[in-house]
Amino acid sequence: MNNLKSHLLDHQAGVGFVVNDKLLPNVKRFEAINDRICYLELKCKWYNLVIINGYAPTEDKNEFYERLDTVCDLLLNSKVKILLGDFNAKIGQEPIFSPTIGSTSLHLNLNDNGTRLINFAMARDMVVSSTTFPHKNIHKQTWVSLDGRTRNQIDHVVVDGRFKRCIMDVRSMRGSSEISDHFMVKTKRRAPVKKINIEPLKYSQTTEQYKNRLNDILRPIEKASSIDEMWEKTENSFKKIAEEVLG
């Protein structure tokens, strides 16, 4: 746990959350639906984030997805949703589903649980982020059999489509647990975009200073070897001068 103080929010059966104590004031609700579904609502700056933890059965999946649908229907659309957990779902690389699943799954073909998870995601305009980032196979595997011969990617992270660009990476962490046949799955969010204070541009002196500094730094860019290099240098120049002059 990296020596972080955490608090356990769980039900008496198979799903729960471990929350860093620093985040506890932001926990607005924890709801245990049954032994396979629970969710946690966090208050964020611009919206509330709902993290749904699911543990899908290998058989009799209808009841699980019906209950999952009910939970999502009761949550306001304004709340960003992330679905994660063990879905026993092999996601394939079928091109027809690429907008929802990407093309970097460990498996070439999906299984029945994979079909159910994809249908659920498509119906709710969600994306299976865990199969959209390129990694070595050892960083895609989330479950290993006792004999070590079978390795599957069956634990997934599914996010609202409008939130997908905020997810920067998803990968499994091998060796993270010695008491489970599953590996921990790590999700990395994209750092917030810095906002520039444009108020100083109301004053002519600041505006003139901003233009002069831009002219000085943009002149050498004309010698860039390619369009891509020119664009990158131009973008970085605008950011640098904006932070320097405007703050």
Side-chain angles (χ1 to χ4, degrees):
M1 302 298 296
N2 295 327
N3 296 321
L4 294 176
K5 293 183 178 180
S6 301
H7 190 77
L8 179 63
L9 299 174
D10 71 345
H11 193 37
Q12 61 184 355
V15 288
F17 293 94
V18 177
V19 181
N20 189 311
D21 279 354
K22 293 181 180 179
L23 290 178
L24 281 179
N26 295 78
V27 176
K28 297 306 174 185
R29 186 177 184 183
F30 169 73
E31 187 76 25
I33 307 301
N34 55 30
D35 60 346
R36 290 187 176 273
I37 300 173
C38 68
Y39 71 83
L40 183 73
E41 183 172 346
L42 294 171
K43 179 178 176 59
C44 301
K45 185 173 183 179
W46 303 112
Y47 50 79
N48 278 16
L49 174 65
V50 178
I51 305 175
I52 306 170
N53 192 346
Y55 175 31
T58 54
E59 304 293 340
D60 300 325
K61 298 173 284 293
N62 289 339
E63 182 180 352
F64 172 81
Y65 279 99
E66 286 173 3
R67 183 60 63 90
L68 194 58
D69 270 322
T70 301
V71 171
C72 290
D73 287 340
L74 293 175
L75 296 171
L76 296 177
N77 289 332
S78 59
K79 298 177 180 179
V80 176
K81 303 172 191 66
I82 298 180
L83 175 64
L84 49 82
D86 175 8
F87 296 97
N88 286 298
K90 291 184 181 180
I91 303 297
Q93 297 181 19
E94 292 82 359
I96 191 174
F97 299 126
S98 60
T100 301
I101 64 176
S103 60
T104 63
S105 174
L106 176 67
H107 308 287
L108 294 177
N109 304 108
L110 51 78
N111 63 1
D112 186 52
N113 270 309
T115 302
R116 295 301 297 265
L117 183 60
I118 291 173
N119 287 339
F120 176 87
M122 292 175 63
R124 296 190 172 275
D125 192 24
M126 302 182 82
V127 173
V128 185
S129 292
S130 44
T131 56
T132 58
F133 296 98
H135 284 295
K136 295 180 179 180
N137 286 346
I138 57 175
H139 296 142
K140 298 178 184 179
Q141 302 157 0
T142 66
W143 175 86
V144 57
S145 62
L146 292 177
D147 60 10
R149 295 180 179 179
T150 304
R151 297 173 181 269
N152 292 328
Q153 184 181 25
I154 56 176
D155 302 80
H156 295 285
V157 177
V158 185
V159 305
D160 269 341
R162 56 189 168 140
F163 191 67
K164 65 180 181 180
R165 297 189 184 279
C166 295
I167 304 298
M168 194 172 182
D169 190 31
V170 180
R171 55 163 289 183
S172 63
M173 307 299 291
R174 294 191 306 152
S176 57
S177 175
E178 296 181 358
I179 60 174
S180 173
D181 53 359
H182 289 260
F183 299 141
M184 185 179 295
V185 177
K186 178 181 178 180
T187 302
K188 183 178 180 180
R189 74 180 181 89
R190 192 175 301 277
V193 177
K194 291 182 179 180
K195 293 187 177 181
I196 300 298
N197 178 22
I198 63 174
E199 288 297 315
L201 288 176
K202 294 180 179 179
Y203 306 102
S204 58
Q205 184 177 356
T206 304
T207 302
E208 193 65 26
Q209 180 187 3
Y210 181 65
K211 290 180 179 178
N212 290 338
R213 289 290 291 119
L214 272 179
N215 287 332
D216 291 341
I217 202 170
L218 289 176
R219 286 193 186 99
I221 293 178
E222 297 176 0
K223 301 178 181 179
S225 59
S226 67
I227 292 295
D228 290 337
E229 183 183 355
M230 181 180 294
W231 170 254
E232 182 180 357
K233 289 184 176 180
T234 302
E235 181 183 21
N236 292 337
S237 297
F238 271 93
K239 290 179 179 178
K240 179 180 178 180
I241 299 306
E243 290 180 6
E244 178 183 313
V245 178
L246 304 176

